[in-house]
Amino acid sequence: MRGTSRASLAAAEERWEPVLGEAGAQSSTLGEQLFALVDALDSSGSLRRTLADPSIDGDAKAGLVGRLLGAADPRVVEAAQGLVRSRWSADNDLADAVEHLAFHAVLATAEADGTLAQVEDELFRFSRALAGQREVRRALFDTSVLAEARVHLVDQIIGGRVAPVTLLVAERVAAAPRGRRYVASLGHLADLIAERRDRQVATVHSASPLTTAQRDRLAEILRNAYGREIQLNTVLDPQILGGLRVQVGPQVVDATVLARLADARRRLAS
């Protein structure tokens, strides 16, 4: 999102968080109603453009959203009306903002019932399990496959073995990929969870398990570097001969033996 959209989303989040705090473990219901609005915006370009058009009166757009949401929770209607009264750099940003608030609502349920850390861990493990399952990943992203079939596939894989919120969000990103590949969507959810926990996520690849002391030291180094708490997700990778490969968001710090050898070869060739 560009500057105007980012500012509008930040203001919407500030209004939304007290609502979620009050809703507590029932927040997921609000999120699912917002997902219905996301689907409506994604399925109708004219609706999306109308609701994001800054030249149209905000109250008129709010009235349209109110009619569209019908019997939805008044808190959802109010949040949606606030969004359409705001300004957006692109009409797609409006749909993205609605989805953003929806996911936070669902995750707030896990936060309220004390399972947010479990959801974070389960989504990470699910993402890693899919790493070697190319056909499954493709099926979960392929919009030529019916959404119901994609959701059923997720349920077959993790249904009954994860927290309810984990299953809900995993099924949601299968039902509505919105242009993102499935594993990328799980990564996006991990970022949102880190945001709720005021942490940033670092994925650490190593050849052997890290000791508690090593994890604590690495977390301290990253915390000092990024100025916030860092959640470490560790992955054992036998292809790494030594050292670590650390990814924090889009940034990758590759300190493995293989990376150093590759760098040495590049220097010799230059």
Side-chain angles (χ1 to χ4, degrees):
M1 289 186 182
R2 287 180 287 178
T4 300
S5 291
R6 284 200 302 270
S8 294
L9 177 57
E13 285 184 298
E14 188 173 347
R15 297 189 299 268
W16 190 229
E17 280 303 316
V19 174
L20 299 182
E22 179 184 299
Q26 305 304 315
S27 295
S28 60
T29 300
L30 308 183
E32 292 187 75
Q33 292 178 1
L34 283 175
F35 284 138
L37 178 57
V38 175
D39 294 340
L41 292 171
D42 284 344
S43 65
S44 174
S46 61
L47 174 66
R48 189 173 61 249
R49 288 188 294 271
T50 296
L51 292 177
D53 189 341
S55 69
I56 298 176
D57 179 70
D59 288 340
K61 293 187 291 186
L64 175 57
V65 164
R67 293 189 296 274
L68 182 66
L69 290 173
D73 189 294
R75 294 169 292 185
V76 169
V77 176
E78 184 177 355
Q81 290 176 329
L83 287 170
V84 300
R85 284 190 174 103
S86 302
R87 297 181 66 88
W88 303 97
S89 305
D91 55 84
N92 285 333
D93 289 350
L94 172 59
D96 290 345
V98 178
E99 182 191 55
H100 185 86
L101 296 190
F103 274 130
H104 270 297
V106 174
L107 295 174
T109 290
E111 189 173 40
D113 66 19
T115 61
L116 188 60
Q118 178 185 347
V119 171
E120 181 178 41
D121 182 63
E122 288 171 346
L123 289 174
F124 176 70
R125 291 177 183 276
F126 185 30
S127 177
R128 295 308 307 166
L130 291 173
Q133 303 294 325
R134 182 178 179 183
E135 292 304 316
V136 175
R137 294 199 312 273
R138 180 180 297 170
L140 290 171
F141 171 72
D142 187 355
T143 53
S144 68
V145 177
L146 290 176
E148 293 82 357
R150 298 196 301 269
V151 170
H152 180 63
L153 178 56
V154 171
D155 190 57
Q156 283 184 310
I157 298 171
I158 62 173
R161 293 184 287 277
V162 295
V165 166
T166 303
L167 183 61
L168 195 160
V169 294
E171 289 181 340
R172 171 62 195 180
V173 296
R178 307 195 68 240
R180 293 186 296 256
R181 295 189 179 277
Y182 191 77
V183 172
S185 293
L186 296 182
H188 176 63
L189 289 169
D191 291 339
L192 295 182
I193 293 172
E195 184 180 322
R196 293 207 68 78
R197 300 180 69 190
D198 196 28
R199 289 171 178 251
Q200 199 154 1
V201 177
T203 302
V204 183
H205 294 253
S206 62
S208 57
L210 300 181
T211 66
T212 300
Q214 289 172 324
R215 286 177 60 90
D216 291 346
R217 176 57 179 156
L218 179 57
E220 180 184 0
I221 292 171
L222 293 172
R223 181 171 60 248
N224 291 337
Y226 287 92
R228 64 188 303 182
E229 290 295 322
I230 299 293
Q231 170 67 37
L232 297 184
N233 288 333
T234 58
V235 178
L236 292 181
D237 188 344
Q239 294 185 337
I240 292 178
L241 301 181
L244 300 173
R245 181 181 184 275
V246 182
Q247 180 167 354
V248 182
Q251 298 180 321
V252 176
V253 179
D254 199 333
T256 67
V257 170
L258 288 179
R260 290 196 291 270
L261 289 174
D263 182 61
R265 284 195 295 269
R266 284 194 297 270
R267 290 174 182 273
L268 288 172
S270 61

